[in-house]
């Protein structure tokens, strides 16, 4: 990850070998200045606050319309540029 320095990472919380919430702080340190959007099938009331506390910039529920996800991505990236 450090080699590529992405501007944006979209992280699903259901990943193999490590819980996505456990991975968030590590990923945040690996991409300083980068942004992280968490996407998950878990209800926002269950994990959204924890994801944001651990370093996610935004939380999007799976099943969100593509146009809304695009809007969130553009908003997060524009915050990075500002």
């Amino acid at each position: 990850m450090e080699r590529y320095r992405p501007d944006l990472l979209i992280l699903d919380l259901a990943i193999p070998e490590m819980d996505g919430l456990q991975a968030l702080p590590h990923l945040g340190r690996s991409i300083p200045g980068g942004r992280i959007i968490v996407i998950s099938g878990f209800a926002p009331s269950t994990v959204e606050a924890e994801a944001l506390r651990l370093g996610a910039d935004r939380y999007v529920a799976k099943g969100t319309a593509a146009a809304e996800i695009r809007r969130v991505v553009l908003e997060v990236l524009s915050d990075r540029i500002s």
Side-chain angles (χ1 to χ4, degrees):
M1 183 73 65
E2 293 172 7
R3 180 174 155 196
Y4 297 104
R5 303 274 186 217
D7 292 325
L8 176 70
L9 174 69
I10 297 177
L11 173 67
D12 190 331
L13 292 185
I15 56 175
E17 297 185 34
M18 180 183 281
D19 178 274
L21 290 175
Q22 293 172 323
L24 257 170
H26 301 287
L27 292 167
R29 286 190 299 271
S30 296
I31 55 168
R35 301 291 192 188
I36 300 174
I37 296 173
V38 165
I39 188 165
S40 178
F42 296 110
S45 62
T46 306
V47 294
E48 180 178 17
E50 185 69 2
L52 296 172
R53 186 185 74 74
L54 291 170
D57 294 285
R58 292 291 293 273
Y59 182 94
V60 177
K62 283 187 181 175
T64 298
E68 176 64 10
I69 293 172
R70 180 180 185 275
R71 187 192 66 72
V72 169
V73 167
L74 292 173
E75 184 178 290
V76 168
L77 287 175
S78 71
D79 287 347
R80 183 178 187 276
I81 296 167
S82 301

